[in-house]
Amino acid sequence: LELSATAGEGVNVTFGMLGLSRTTSEAEHGTTPTALAATAREFKYDDLKNVKLTGPNGVVDLGVSSLTLTIAHEKEIRAICGQKEGVDIGTSGARATAGTITLYRESFEINSDVTGEPQKLSFEFTRAGVGYRATVPGAIFQKPTDELSGSSVMVSLTYTGRHDDDAGTDVFIERL
């Protein structure tokens, strides 16, 4: 899974899919033009909201300019000679959760909010109350770094997700 959100551009989410086989259709699939329902979400971006970091000073609302979240786990199809389809999908290594948050440098308070110890990070990507909440219960942040972007000074926070024993995972995504 790759998620990226940038102010003024919305949220983009990409899922990687892996299948054991593919069936080629013998018939043509007819298409019928259909009017979009009034509630359709097509062509409308979700927005990033409620970015929260739990630190030594309590829960901090982050005014984010951009955010990324990547969840990667190496997977491969197990093939057998003489068969045109895989027999199974195997995983290798450990799942890796990581990302970056960029926000405007408004004060040095964020430097004390990021401790280097596991901290809870959560955010929502929604539109009109429909969407998802992602939580990284044991996010470990590197030391904040300053960056220049045009006439603004930005703070970049790079994090990795660590398994949290209380939550039982390194990341979870829930539907709102």
Side-chain angles (χ1 to χ4, degrees), residues 73-76 78 89-93:
H73 196 158
E74 293 299 319
K75 297 178 181 174
E76 60 185 29
R78 295 179 179 163
I89 296 175
T91 60
S92 60

Side-chain angles (χ1 to χ4, degrees), residues 17-97:
M17 302 297 283
L18 183 64
L20 291 177
S21 66
R22 179 175 51 190
T23 304
T24 304
S25 177
E26 300 295 327
E28 194 173 307
H29 292 283
T31 58
T32 304
T34 307
L36 285 177
T39 57
R41 298 179 67 193
E42 191 173 2
F43 307 122
K44 294 183 180 179
Y45 280 104
D46 288 346
D47 197 8
L48 184 69
K49 299 177 182 176
N50 300 323
V51 182
K52 299 181 184 300
L53 173 67
T54 303
N57 303 322
V59 177
V60 179
D61 288 316
L62 300 178
V64 172
S65 173
S66 66
L67 179 144
T68 64
L69 169 66
T70 302
I71 303 170
H73 196 158
E74 293 299 319
K75 297 178 181 174
E76 60 185 29
I77 295 174
R78 295 179 179 163
I80 294 178
C81 290
Q83 288 189 256
K84 33 180 226 184
E85 299 174 355
V87 294
D88 198 359
I89 296 175
T91 60
S92 60
R95 183 172 63 202
T97 302

Side-chain angles (χ1 to χ4, degrees), residues 85-135:
E85 299 174 355
V87 294
D88 198 359
I89 296 175
T91 60
S92 60
R95 183 172 63 202
T97 302
T100 303
I101 300 172
T102 305
L103 53 143
Y104 292 99
R105 167 67 81 189
E106 295 174 352
S107 71
F108 287 99
E109 190 173 319
I110 191 67
N111 291 27
S112 62
D113 291 329
V114 175
T115 64
E117 297 294 320
Q119 296 176 261
K120 181 180 176 181
L121 169 68
S122 66
F123 59 89
E124 298 171 359
F125 44 108
T126 67
R127 187 182 63 76
V130 178
Y132 298 89
R133 176 183 300 118
T135 303

Side-chain angles (χ1 to χ4, degrees), residues 116-169:
E117 297 294 320
Q119 296 176 261
K120 181 180 176 181
L121 169 68
S122 66
F123 59 89
E124 298 171 359
F125 44 108
T126 67
R127 187 182 63 76
V130 178
Y132 298 89
R133 176 183 300 118
T135 303
V136 182
I140 298 177
F141 288 87
Q142 295 178 5
K143 182 178 177 182
T145 57
D146 289 343
E147 300 175 356
L148 291 176
S149 174
S151 62
S152 300
V153 177
M154 311 298 281
V155 180
S156 180
L157 304 172
T158 302
Y159 64 93
T160 56
R162 189 183 101 181
H163 182 82
D164 182 76
D165 290 335
D166 293 334
T169 187

